[in-house]
Amino acid sequence: MDCPSDNAAPLSTVARDICPFPNYNPSPLFVNMLSINSSAHLRNHYTAVQSSLTPKQLEDFTQGLRSTFGREGKVTFGGVGVVALSLAVLFDTLAKQARGEWVSESEPIPGLFYKDLRGYYPPHVYTVSKYLRLVPHIANNPTRMREETARYIKQLTIDDQSLDNLGENHTAPITEDITILNSILVKWFTSSLKLHLLRIKNATADELVMSTGRLPAVIIFNLNCNAEAADKEFLAEVKKSDSHIQETFRRYMSNIGKTYLLQVAELEWVNAIFDLSCAIGNMDDLLIAQRQDFDLKANALKNGQNTL
């Protein structure tokens, strides 16, 4: 799927050195595991995680997989969608534990969603994290998977209403850049969750109801600096930069009553949404094309240490 976005990345690099606004690019793990090429991405991630471990750590890592899936190591629909994402999260978790790192079982999954400066996450993020941690333990039980997936779809709808209520009571920053991006990620995840339920039921794409939503008219960007003062430094750096950066500036920046720093942040934010939808692809195609299981044993490194 070829759908490149207009890219102002050179400007973002210059601007972020002056004003450290958030990185809006979505987690590669999130994008890759929910895309049409999820099975290949999962195999690559599995290999990379195993390769990063010492022989002793790899032995502990493999024991963790064995305790969860048994010696056969087959995961139903493990190569696609939300199950692939849950396996990728599990691999990272087991690897951290094998290295002696502490891993929270209740906080949002690290790196999967955006974290604002206050550390705030919308309620959906906690729900998605709980689901992903649960999946490896029920993936090979079709009845449990069907029941829990349906239950979590309902819970995410409840979370939507909860977030709206928090916004109405001015107790949640629902129109801020990071919160909106998290909500968009969750809507993509919810659609993938519905796809997974259709796979379990062996249903068709005709039964898919997409998660939709509208962006607020005004989005608040927290640039973590005095944007007007930073603009002067930004312009000075652009003038000293190479012709490519200067041409990018002329192409994207305008005198529209907004600071250049804000324009750069907004452009990167919009491109992140576009790149996410482009990378994940069409939901109908995802359902038709992908129904692969994942074989942990067949994809394990052949070094004698981790044969399940």
Side-chain angles (χ1 to χ4, degrees):
M1 190 176 192
D2 183 19
C3 49
S5 63
D6 286 338
N7 198 334
L11 290 182
S12 297
T13 300
V14 175
R16 194 170 276 112
D17 286 342
I18 297 167
C19 180
F21 61 86
N23 182 348
Y24 299 123
N25 294 317
S27 161
L29 209 62
F30 187 99
V31 173
N32 290 341
M33 301 310 159
L34 298 187
S35 75
I36 200 163
N37 297 315
S38 59
S39 187
H41 286 303
L42 184 62
R43 286 196 301 272
N44 291 339
H45 188 66
Y46 188 35
T47 299
V49 170
Q50 293 175 90
S51 299
S52 72
L53 302 173
T54 67
K56 176 59 172 69
Q57 291 169 348
L58 186 55
E59 187 177 331
D60 293 341
F61 172 86
T62 304
Q63 182 56 46
L65 290 177
R66 205 179 283 137
S67 299
T68 304
F69 299 106
R71 288 189 172 273
E72 184 178 356
K74 296 280 183 70
V75 186
T76 305
F77 296 133
V80 295
V82 295
V83 185
L85 182 56
S86 76
L87 285 181
V89 169
L90 178 66
F91 298 158
D92 287 346
T93 300
L94 292 177
K96 288 178 181 177
Q97 291 173 339
R99 288 191 288 264
E101 300 174 24
W102 179 81
V103 179
S104 171
E105 292 296 324
S106 59
E107 292 297 310
I109 293 169
L112 207 56
F113 295 94
Y114 302 93
K115 186 176 183 179
D116 70 14
L117 291 177
R118 295 175 300 260
Y120 174 78
Y121 290 103
H124 317 68
V125 170
Y126 293 89
T127 300
V128 171
S129 296
K130 287 180 183 177
Y131 178 81
L132 291 175
R133 289 183 175 115
L134 172 65
V135 164
H137 304 285
I138 63 173
N140 292 331
N141 184 329
T143 301
R144 282 289 311 280
M145 279 297 295
R146 184 172 58 252
E147 293 173 350
E148 292 295 337
T149 300
R151 184 169 73 86
Y152 274 86
I153 289 171
K154 290 180 180 178
Q155 182 59 50
L156 287 168
T157 301
I158 294 171
D159 291 342
D160 263 336
Q161 185 58 54
S162 173
L163 185 60
D164 288 342
N165 293 340
L166 290 172
E168 290 172 3
N169 296 327
H170 305 290
T171 54
I174 65 170
T175 60
E176 293 193 358
D177 48 357
I178 293 299
T179 300
I180 295 171
L181 281 178
N182 275 326
S183 296
I184 290 171
L185 287 181
V186 170
K187 289 188 185 304
W188 274 108
F189 181 86
T190 302
S191 294
S192 296
L193 207 57
K194 292 175 180 177
L195 274 180
H196 182 55
L197 191 57
L198 294 181
R199 287 191 187 103
I200 297 171
K201 296 178 177 179
N202 200 29
T204 67
D206 294 336
E207 298 179 40
L208 179 64
V209 179
M210 292 286 290
S211 297
T212 59
R214 298 177 63 184
L215 296 177
V218 177
I219 299 171
I220 299 171
F221 287 81
N222 295 308
L223 299 184
N224 310 318
C225 67
N226 183 322
E228 292 183 1
D231 253 19
K232 296 177 182 179
E233 188 177 349
F234 176 64
L235 281 173
E237 288 298 320
V238 169
K239 289 178 180 178
K240 292 188 297 183
S241 300
D242 59 36
S243 58
H244 178 55
I245 289 178
Q246 292 182 24
E247 175 57 32
T248 305
F249 179 87
R250 286 191 290 270
R251 180 179 181 185
Y252 289 104
M253 298 295 99
S254 63
N255 297 313
I256 56 175
K258 293 181 180 179
T259 64
Y260 293 125
L261 271 297
L262 179 58
Q263 290 181 59
V264 172
E266 289 179 340
L267 187 59
E268 185 176 295
W269 190 91
V270 171
N271 282 346
I273 296 175
F274 183 85
D275 291 343
L276 175 67
S277 60
C278 176
I280 289 179
N282 183 279
M283 288 291 172
D284 289 354
D285 293 341
L286 285 171
L287 181 61
I288 294 169
Q290 296 188 310
R291 293 177 182 270
Q292 303 106 316
D293 296 342
F294 191 79
D295 192 328
L296 294 163
K297 195 170 184 178
N299 290 289
L301 293 182
K302 302 299 187 291
N303 60 2
Q305 287 289 338
N306 66 331
T307 52
L308 287 170

